[in-house]
Amino acid sequence: MAPKKAKGSSSEEKSVLEYLVKANRPYSANDISSQLHGLVSPAQAKKLLNDLADDGKIQRKVNGKQQIFYANQMDIEVPSVEEAEEEEENIKKLEQQVNATKDENKALAGRLHNLTNARTDDQMRERIATLTAEIKQNEERLAQLRSGEVISPEEKKRIETEHAAMVKQWKARKRMFKNIIDAMSEGYPGKLRDLYDELGIETDEDVQADVSIIGAK
C-alpha cells in the first residue's frame, strides 16, 4: 500500500495557498478549482482549503452552507505610500500606451482596408496615362479650332461632338479618380500631396489643365 502523504505537504496545497496569497481576495472552493484551471477538483479544493484553515495558514468564513477562504492579511506585505503611488503612475502609463496602440491599430486597419479595396498602383498609373493622352489630343484639336483654320461644317461638328464627349468623359473620370484617391487617403498619415508623389500622380493643376476652360464654348 502506497504511503499516505503528510498533511499540508502536497504540491496542490502549495498551489492553492500561493494563489490565495497572490490574488488576496476571498474565494470559494469552486472558485479556486476554476481559477487553477482544473488542477484540483472542487471537492479537492474544499478539503485543501479547510486543511489550510485548520493549520492557520489561511482564514475561513462560514455563512450558512457557504465557505469563503482568504489569505491571512498579516502575511500580506503592504506597500508604502510611495510604492503605491509609483505603481499607480505605472498603471496610468500602461493604460495610455494601450490606448495609443489601439488607436494606431485602428488607423492602420482602416488604411489597409482602403488600400486593399482600391486600384493597384499600376492600374492607377495606366488610367492617368490614358487620361493624359486624351487631354493632350483634345487640346490639340481645340487649338486647331481656335486658330481659325478653315474646315467643313461637317468636320467642325464632328470635332465639337467628339470634343464635348471627351470633356464629359474627362469630368467623369476626374470624379472617379477623386473618389478613389479620397478613399485611399483615409487614414494616410501624410499630406495628400505626399500620397500623390508616392504614387507618381500628376494632377490637372500640375499640367496646368483646366477642364472648365477647355469645356467652355
Side-chain angles (χ1 to χ4, degrees):
M1 182 176 179
K4 186 177 181 181
K5 288 184 179 180
K7 181 179 178 182
S9 64
S10 70
S11 61
E12 290 86 355
E13 182 178 284
K14 182 179 179 181
S15 298
V16 170
L17 179 59
E18 288 178 349
Y19 184 82
L20 269 182
V21 173
K22 181 179 180 180
N24 192 27
R25 55 172 295 182
Y27 283 106
S28 67
N30 289 338
D31 292 335
I32 288 294
S33 176
S34 175
Q35 292 298 323
L36 293 180
H37 305 291
L39 177 65
V40 293
S41 67
Q44 289 175 310
K46 183 176 182 180
K47 182 179 184 309
L48 292 171
L49 288 166
N50 278 298
D51 288 345
L52 288 168
D54 292 341
D55 291 342
K57 295 179 179 179
I58 63 174
Q59 296 296 313
R60 172 176 52 206
K61 185 175 182 180
V62 180
N63 184 11
K65 294 183 178 181
Q66 180 71 23
Q67 289 182 318
I68 297 298
F69 303 88
Y70 53 93
N72 288 328
Q73 297 304 297
M74 296 300 294
D75 297 334
I76 304 298
E77 183 178 352
V78 179
S80 64
V81 174
E82 292 78 10
E83 290 174 335
E85 291 177 347
E86 182 179 355
E87 189 65 24
E88 185 176 353
E89 187 64 27
N90 290 334
I91 291 173
K92 289 181 180 179
K93 290 180 180 179
L94 290 173
E95 288 176 345
Q96 292 174 353
Q97 292 176 6
V98 169
N99 291 333
T101 301
K102 286 181 178 179
D103 292 341
E104 184 179 358
N105 287 341
K106 184 177 180 181
L108 290 174
R111 184 183 176 191
L112 177 61
H113 175 76
N114 292 333
L115 293 176
T116 301
N117 291 278
R119 294 180 182 271
T120 64
D121 292 350
D122 290 340
Q123 289 173 330
M124 291 291 294
R125 292 189 182 99
E126 182 179 352
R127 291 183 63 83
I128 292 170
T130 300
L131 184 59
T132 302
E134 292 176 355
I135 292 172
K136 184 177 180 181
Q137 186 179 18
N138 286 338
E139 289 174 341
E140 291 173 353
R141 291 183 179 181
L142 184 60
Q144 290 178 351
L145 290 173
R146 288 177 173 173
S147 66
E149 295 181 3
V150 178
I151 58 174
S152 65
E154 294 78 11
E155 179 68 11
K156 181 179 180 181
K157 183 177 180 181
R158 182 185 65 79
I159 292 174
E160 288 178 344
T161 300
E162 290 184 1
H163 176 259
M166 289 296 182
V167 171
K168 182 179 179 181
Q169 191 176 66
W170 180 11
K171 291 180 178 179
R173 293 187 178 184
K174 185 173 182 178
R175 286 194 299 270
M176 185 185 302
F177 169 78
K178 186 177 184 303
N179 292 336
I180 293 172
I181 204 66
D182 286 347
M184 292 179 64
S185 63
E186 289 183 8
Y188 184 73
K191 297 180 180 179
L192 187 58
R193 182 72 257 179
D194 296 335
L195 179 59
Y196 285 160
D197 293 340
E198 183 179 335
L199 299 177
I201 295 174
E202 288 186 343
T203 64
D204 292 344
E205 291 76 12
D206 293 333
V207 297
Q208 298 181 346
D210 189 344
V211 67
S212 62
I213 295 177
I214 296 175
K217 293 185 178 180

